[in-house]
Amino acid sequence: MELDIEIDGWPEAPDWAALADRAVEAASGVEPALANARLTASMLFTIDEEVHALNKEWRGKDKPTNVLSFPMLERDDLLALACEGPPEMLGDLALAHETCAREAAEKGIALEDHAAHLIVHGLLHLAGHDHVDSDAQAEAMEALEIAALAKLGIADPYGDRN
């Protein structure tokens, strides 16, 4: 997948673009629909204020959140996408620095690991997965996240729940 990455308001280190590339590779390893080389996506690493504005405008929620995903393809269209042909836009992701940093600190994990998790989470949303309609749906999406993060050497972010 080709990524168009913009970084504004995040610390210079680590290399966020390289992290995003690794997260895409890991997500593609557990969700084959993401492995299509025709796919492109944009990824914005930005500040809470920007994500807050996007969340308010596009989701009607007047607050920042950790990651936003804006899919451009329906799941059926993604699954039917041929391997040959012109680039196809999968969608857009936006990560909010202050929210991500606060959550990582609260969890006692590295910001890099939390950002990788949120990128994988957002990519799965772009691929048509969700977690809001049922516990089974949430468990299936979480299982994909856990498997992708394991490929990155990142511990199960849901392991502390009973």
Side-chain angles (χ1 to χ4, degrees), residues 33-56:
L34 292 172
N36 191 320
R38 290 180 57 193
L39 294 174
T40 65
S42 72
M43 195 170 300
L44 175 62
F45 291 83
T46 191
I47 59 175
D48 276 21
E49 182 180 354
E50 178 70 20
V51 171
H52 183 161
L54 290 168
N55 204 19
K56 184 176 181 181

Side-chain angles (χ1 to χ4, degrees), residues 5-148:
I5 299 172
E6 182 178 337
I7 303 169
D8 181 29
W10 283 63
E12 290 184 26
D15 183 342
W16 300 109
L19 175 73
D21 286 335
R22 290 191 310 273
V24 166
E25 184 177 332
S28 298
V30 300
E31 170 47 273
L34 292 172
N36 191 320
R38 290 180 57 193
L39 294 174
T40 65
S42 72
M43 195 170 300
L44 175 62
F45 291 83
T46 191
I47 59 175
D48 276 21
E49 182 180 354
E50 178 70 20
V51 171
H52 183 161
L54 290 168
N55 204 19
K56 184 176 181 181
E57 179 179 354
W58 295 102
R59 297 179 65 225
K61 297 188 178 193
D62 193 12
K63 63 180 181 177
T65 188
N66 51 21
V67 62
L68 289 173
S69 57
F70 301 98
M72 303 280 189
L73 292 174
E74 294 292 327
R75 175 114 177 117
D76 290 342
D77 294 331
L78 175 61
L79 294 174
L81 187 66
C83 293
E84 300 296 324
E88 189 73 40
M89 184 65 166
L90 177 64
D92 305 311
L93 294 179
L95 281 82
H97 178 260
E98 297 92 335
T99 297
C100 293
R102 178 180 41 76
E103 290 173 349
E106 288 169 357
K107 295 172 186 263
I109 60 174
L111 175 57
E112 185 175 7
D113 289 353
H114 190 50
H117 175 205
L118 295 173
I119 293 167
V120 167
H121 182 87
L123 288 166
L124 291 172
H125 275 305
L126 294 182
H129 296 277
D130 214 335
H131 52 83
V132 295
D133 294 328
S134 70
D135 289 344
Q137 185 187 58
E139 289 172 11
M141 186 168 171
E142 289 170 6
L144 290 172
E145 291 173 31
I146 292 164

